[in-house]
Each structure stands twice: as C-alpha cells, then as structure tokens.
Amino acid sequence: MKAPKNIYRKNFTLITASMVLITVSFVIGVIISYNLTAKYVENEFSSKKVEVLDQTSKPYNDFFQLKIPEITSYQGFLDSASAANYSATVFKMYPFVSRILFYDLQIGSKPTNFTFTNNRGISVKAIYQYKFKRGKVRGIRDMAFVNEDDFKHMALKLNHFITVADTTRLPTQDEIFRTFYDVNPDKISYMNIPRREDVKIYQSLLRKSESKAFYKQNMMTFLLDANKLKVKNTHPELYQQVTIQPVVYDPLDVDGGKKITEAALTGAFSNFKLYFSSSKEHLNREIDRRFLPIGAIVLLIYVFMVMITWLIYRNLNINLKIFKLQYDFINNFTHEFKTPVSVIKIAGSNLKGDAELSERQRRHYGKILDEEADKLNDLMNKLLSFTQLENRSITIHREAINLKEFAQGYIDTFKIKYPDFKLSYNIEGIELFNSDPVLLGSIFQNLMENAYKYSHPGKKELHIDIKQERRNVVLKFADKGIGMAKAEQGDVFKKFYRIENQYNQNGSVGLGLAFCKELVNFMDGDIAVASKINEGSTFTVTLPLDK
C-alpha cells in the first residue's frame, strides 16, 4: 500500500504569494505613514507660529498690562527725578522702549497750551525726554513741545471723561482703556487714572467761574522700536529663521526651496509681523526624525507578520510530518495485524481439516496460535498505550487553601465586576482545605456568574456558606434569583440544556452547570440543586476532605 505521491507536496507558490502580499503591504504602509507625517509637520508649520508669537509678544504684553499702569500709583506726583527712576526700570526690563516723554501737568489754572470749553484747562508745566545711553538714563527738559498733538488728544479724552464720569462707581476696564491709553504704531501714551475723589474735584472746577486751586496730573508717552523686540523661537525644529519685518514686507526673490508663513504683531507693533521661513531640507530632517519611530513600528509589524507566516508554514510542515507518521503508523500496524491473522487463519484451517494430525503437529499448531495471539495482544496494548498518550488526562495539584482568603478574593473580584451584586459568606468549622485552587476556583466562578445572571435586577444577592460535615467540605451557594421548576432541576447539569426564559435568550449554551458537575465528579465530589420559582436556588457542592 503506497501513499499518493502528491499528498505531502508543499505549495511554495502560496507561501511566495503571502510573502509578496505582506511586503507590498509593508511598502504601502511606509509610504502612507511617511506622507501622513509630512502632512502633520506641514500643518504644525502653519499652526505653531501662534506659540512663537505669544512668547515673543509676552514682554510687550507684560509691559502694557503691568508696567505702564504703575504710573497711576504715583497719583500725579511724579517729578523729573522719580520719572527718571521709573524710566530706568522700564529701559532695563523692556529693551524695545527707545524713548520716554514725561509730561508734568496741572489742572485748574488758566491754561497756557490747551483749554476746556469753560475756560478751565490742563496746562503743561514741563516735558522731559529720557533715553538710555551707555548704561545710564539721560533726561533733558524739552519745552519745544514737539508732541503737542499727543497731549491735546489725551487732554480731550480726559475732559470728556471728567464731564460724563459717574463718581458713584469705579470706571470699567473699557472706559479706562478708551480714556487713559492712546495706542499708535510704535507709540503708547498713558495718563494716570484719577481717583473718584479727584474726579469730583475736577468736576467742581468746571462748574466754578473762579478758582486758584491747581492739581497735578502725569502723562507719559513711550516710543517703541519693534526691531529690539526679542524673537523667542520655541519651535526651532519647524522654523529655521524667525524675523521681525514690516507688514508690507514681501520679498520678490523668495527662493522656491523655502517654505514661509507669517503672523501679525498686535498693539503698538501692529505695523510689524513675524516672518517665518524654513528650507525644505530643514523640514525634511524634522519629518525624518518624527517618522523614524513610526517606521520602526511598521517594520516591527512587518517582521511580526513574516514571523507568523513562517510559523504557519512550519506548523503546516509539522502537520504534514505528523500526518505522514500517522499514515505510516496505520500502514505498518495494518501490516503487523495482517501477518499474525494470516498465520492464525492457516493454523486454524489445518486444525479443522479432515486429515488426522499427530500429537507433535497439534502441539506445533497450538504453539503457533499461542504465539500469534500474544503478538496480537501485544499490538493491542501498544495501540491502547498510544491512545492514552494522545489523550492526556488532567492532574490534580493539591495545596493548602485558606478558605476565608479564597472566598474573599472571589467576592472582591465580583464586587468590582458587578457593583450591584450583594455578596456575603460564612465559614464554620474549617480553615484550611487541601484541593486544587484552579479547579475549585472554576466552581466558584461558574456558580457565582450563574447566580448573578439568573437574578432579577435589584435582587442580585448571593450567600456562600462553607462548613465541614464529617469527612467532607460542603459549599452552599444560595441566591435569590428566578429559581426553576422542580421538573427541570434534574436536567440543568446536562450538556446544552437551557431553561427557556428571558435570561437565556442570548449568551448561554447550557455548558456552565454541566462543566461544574464534570469538575466536581473529577474531584470525587457531588453537586445538587434545590430551587423554587421566584424565590431562588441553592447549589450544594460536597467535596471530600483530604487532610
């Protein structure tokens, strides 16, 4: 009996096709992931400029929101010396401030430079100009009044504010900004904010025809240089160069190999913008850097798939070898059976023949039959041993189990899994139990799952009672579930048996209790059930106590 020649043929075409498919998928995955990485870097190039803008503008924002309002704290009593000290701190902290003009004003006298409508006005006593040169603040008195328009504009706003001000409340932030700030390109003017009491006095001055009272007021104009604003490139991996340029800056000789974007500055620097540029080589290096871990992951997946393909091929190869061994085993075993059966057949035919046999011949044929029968018996024993070797049985690994810790562990687990499951237990007369924790745990698992599944919402309760009775350990799992009819209690431990109710419409194949029964029987124990419909069920497991 010869085996077909093509039964062990290896399909190398299929293996090759699988490898080609995996390789093509790998190449496509690399291309797609690289393109996505490039697109992501491109999007970041357009979006991350906001972070650079925020960090670059932060000193200006601090200057505008924190440093300038400090003038109000002097309440109009700044003089040339204190103004110089204040200017020194400004020049030191904010290099983009190039000059400061200080206006020493007075309100209430007959004006010399500007008047209110009722012949009361604001007069300029002196103007000081401060610069920072060679590490020192230099101030000069500048009565040429070269910034008369700034003063007039601020005085008009102050006049309007005093006229309409409600002294029963503090001015709003919007009123403060509109009245006491004047923001222009490269220049910010600020007048100190008078207190409500001062505003009342100013209003009374407007109503009186004669007054000899004078009140001080301060005003400062800050001249800014955007080119001294420090650029903080927080993303050098994206932006190779960041510069401050006028808004109208638009170079005609932009290199096609560069990528550019821009972001406008705000406030007194609104006539300038941040100009971002990077070469394609710079961005390609960043793309490669970010793609490296992604490519490594894709390569790892590719190697994993190749390994799986190889393992499948090896497994098929091993299966083919096993099939051949089985085929050869059956073929050889059949041949081994055939020979003694043929000999026995011949010996039997000779014994039942008509010719008389001598004593020597009968003993000879008897010896042949006995020997061939021994051969058959030996072959049968070998076949039985081979079958037992294939069907390996479970081995019980006994160890001392602390029942309190064991039960508490499963209760804690189920409380986490089912928060609405009320669980309790009681142990009497026994502490340690020698058994297989895996098999015993499977019994706990299945019976506790069964109790939760077959209980009405709001009545999901289970009490586990463990005690010793003579030479046995008795475990009772009592729930308050839906229960079952008496006629069905004998069938629930059968394979694939399912009680027909709403809880069994999905997710049950009727193997849980059958599996429990098989486990208990394997452990030389017994399991039984007592149940009443809508009252609950009690499963009793009895296991031998092995001390």
Side-chain angles (χ1 to χ4, degrees):
M1 181 178 178
K2 293 183 178 181
K5 292 183 180 180
N6 62 345
I7 196 167
Y8 307 119
R9 185 179 61 189
K10 300 172 185 176
N11 196 336
F12 289 104
T13 303
L14 182 60
I15 299 297
T16 304
S18 299
M19 290 301 299
V20 170
L21 179 62
I22 294 174
T23 303
V24 170
S25 300
F26 167 71
V27 173
I28 294 175
V30 169
I31 294 174
I32 292 176
S33 57
Y34 186 85
N35 290 336
L36 289 176
T37 304
K39 188 67 175 177
Y40 184 75
V41 171
E42 183 179 347
N43 292 338
E44 280 202 342
F45 183 86
S46 300
S47 62
K48 292 295 184 180
K49 62 184 180 182
V50 177
E51 295 182 12
V52 179
L53 177 64
D54 290 343
Q55 291 300 316
T56 302
S57 302
K58 188 176 185 300
Y60 168 77
N61 294 332
D62 291 343
F63 168 69
F64 186 84
Q65 298 172 5
L66 302 176
K67 190 61 180 178
I68 292 180
E70 284 185 12
I71 297 172
T72 296
S73 63
Y74 293 94
Q75 292 300 319
F77 291 99
L78 273 174
D79 55 18
S80 59
S82 56
N85 293 333
Y86 171 81
S87 299
T89 61
V90 171
F91 289 134
K92 183 178 179 180
M93 298 173 62
Y94 308 103
F96 52 83
V97 179
S98 59
R99 284 189 301 156
I100 299 176
L101 295 177
F102 167 58
Y103 296 82
D104 189 7
L105 309 178
Q106 65 179 16
I107 299 177
S109 67
K110 191 170 183 178
T112 58
N113 302 97
F114 184 78
T115 62
F116 289 126
T117 56
N118 60 353
N119 206 30
R120 293 289 187 270
I122 303 177
S123 298
V124 178
K125 293 174 59 179
I127 300 176
Y128 296 88
Q129 180 177 246
Y130 300 98
K131 292 182 180 180
F132 190 71
K133 285 186 178 181
R134 298 176 184 177
K136 293 183 179 180
V137 176
R138 299 183 181 274
I140 59 173
R141 183 166 179 165
D142 186 3
M143 291 302 295
F145 209 72
V146 293
N147 287 278
E148 184 176 355
D149 291 339
D150 294 336
F151 166 69
K152 288 182 178 182
H153 183 65
M154 293 297 290
L156 274 173
K157 294 200 293 183
L158 179 60
N159 178 33
H160 179 265
F161 175 78
I162 294 174
T163 303
V164 302
D166 182 2
T167 57
T168 61
R169 63 174 178 83
L170 292 173
T172 64
Q173 290 298 320
D174 183 61
E175 290 173 339
I176 290 174
F177 181 78
R178 285 189 287 105
T179 303
F180 301 99
Y181 285 90
D182 186 28
V183 181
N184 294 292
D186 301 325
K187 182 170 59 176
I188 300 175
S189 294
Y190 179 83
M191 186 177 290
N192 71 279
I193 305 170
R195 296 170 297 183
R196 285 186 290 177
E197 293 78 4
D198 295 335
V199 174
K200 291 179 182 180
I201 294 173
Y202 297 161
Q203 288 177 342
S204 66
L205 287 176
L206 295 178
R207 293 192 295 268
K208 293 179 180 179
S209 58
E210 295 292 337
S211 175
K212 295 183 180 180
F214 294 96
Y215 297 90
K216 290 177 64 63
Q217 189 76 5
N218 297 140
M219 171 182 163
M220 280 193 174
T221 298
F222 302 88
L223 302 178
L224 311 179
D225 184 358
N227 293 316
K228 293 183 180 179
L229 188 64
K230 185 177 180 180
V231 175
K232 295 183 179 179
N233 186 4
T234 55
H235 293 282
E237 74 281 2
L238 296 174
Y239 308 113
Q240 192 173 16
Q241 187 178 19
V242 184
T243 58
I244 297 175
Q245 301 292 345
V247 172
V248 295
Y249 177 76
D250 190 13
L252 299 177
D253 57 344
V254 176
D255 187 0
K258 285 190 174 183
K259 188 173 181 63
I260 61 173
T261 187
E262 55 190 36
L265 293 169
T266 59
F269 296 137
S270 59
N271 55 334
F272 288 88
K273 64 183 178 182
L274 291 182
Y275 188 78
F276 304 82
S277 63
S278 294
S279 65
K280 288 186 177 180
E281 292 77 12
H282 182 77
L283 291 178
N284 287 338
R285 286 194 295 269
E286 178 62 16
I287 292 172
D288 293 340
R289 185 186 69 84
R290 297 192 183 191
F291 174 73
L292 186 61
I294 299 175
I297 293 174
V298 175
L299 179 61
L300 185 63
I301 294 174
Y302 171 73
V303 173
F304 180 71
M305 294 299 295
V306 170
M307 185 175 294
I308 289 178
T309 304
W310 177 76
L311 290 174
I312 292 174
Y313 169 76
R314 190 187 70 167
N315 189 53
L316 290 173
N317 205 24
I318 292 174
N319 287 337
L320 287 174
K321 291 180 180 178
I322 293 175
F323 176 78
K324 185 178 183 301
L325 289 174
Q326 291 176 340
Y327 183 86
D328 292 341
F329 170 76
I330 295 173
N331 192 27
N332 294 334
F333 220 81
T334 302
H335 178 73
E336 293 295 330
F337 265 108
K338 187 176 181 180
T339 301
V341 169
S342 298
V343 173
I344 291 172
K345 180 70 175 176
I346 294 171
S349 297
N350 290 334
L351 285 174
K352 71 177 183 179
D354 295 334
E356 291 187 5
L357 301 174
S358 64
E359 185 66 23
R360 183 172 174 273
Q361 289 175 322
R362 284 197 299 271
R363 285 199 299 270
H364 176 67
Y365 288 132
K367 181 180 178 182
I368 291 175
L369 291 172
D370 187 60
E371 288 177 351
E372 297 303 321
D374 287 341
K375 288 182 181 180
L376 286 176
N377 185 58
D378 185 56
L379 290 173
M380 292 297 295
N381 287 333
K382 288 182 180 179
L383 180 62
L384 180 62
S385 299
F386 180 79
T387 304
Q388 290 176 340
L389 185 62
E390 282 187 327
N391 301 317
R392 297 180 181 179
S393 59
I394 302 173
T395 302
I396 297 179
H397 300 284
R398 296 185 182 274
E399 63 181 71
I401 300 174
N402 187 311
L403 289 175
K404 183 177 180 180
E405 295 178 357
F406 189 84
Q408 187 64 51
Y410 276 92
I411 287 176
D412 292 341
T413 300
F414 270 79
K415 283 183 177 179
I416 296 173
K417 186 176 180 181
Y418 304 119
D420 60 335
F421 200 9
K422 296 181 181 179
L423 294 164
S424 60
Y425 73 98
N426 181 55
I427 300 177
E428 292 181 6
I430 186 170
E431 181 178 355
L432 298 177
F433 176 43
N434 288 325
S435 184
D436 190 317
V438 176
L439 301 183
L440 185 62
S442 297
I443 296 173
F444 270 69
Q445 179 81 19
N446 279 275
L447 291 179
M448 292 173 78
E449 285 278 0
N450 196 69
Y452 183 84
K453 180 178 179 181
Y454 294 99
S455 294
H456 296 293
K459 294 183 64 177
K460 296 183 181 296
E461 300 180 21
L462 176 67
H463 178 74
I464 303 173
D465 185 73
I466 304 174
K467 60 182 178 179
Q468 179 181 348
E469 290 184 1
R470 298 178 184 175
R471 299 293 299 171
N472 296 319
V473 175
V474 179
L475 302 94
K476 291 185 179 181
F477 298 78
D479 61 56
K480 296 183 179 180
I482 62 173
M484 66 188 81
K486 191 173 183 64
E488 294 179 307
Q489 295 178 21
D491 296 325
V492 293
F493 296 109
K494 294 180 180 179
K495 291 181 184 178
F496 308 114
Y497 181 83
R498 298 194 312 166
I499 299 174
E500 293 299 325
N501 56 49
Q502 59 177 332
Y503 295 89
N504 256 337
Q505 297 304 311
N506 296 299
S508 176
V509 293
L511 286 177
L513 292 177
F515 179 65
C516 283
K517 184 172 179 61
E518 290 295 327
L519 282 176
V520 172
N521 291 342
F522 183 76
M523 298 169 71
D524 298 325
D526 187 33
I527 184 171
V529 61
S531 180
K532 290 184 179 181
I533 295 178
N534 293 327
E535 291 187 16
S537 302
T538 300
F539 290 87
T540 304
V541 177
T542 304
L543 297 173
L545 182 62
D546 184 14
K547 292 187 177 180

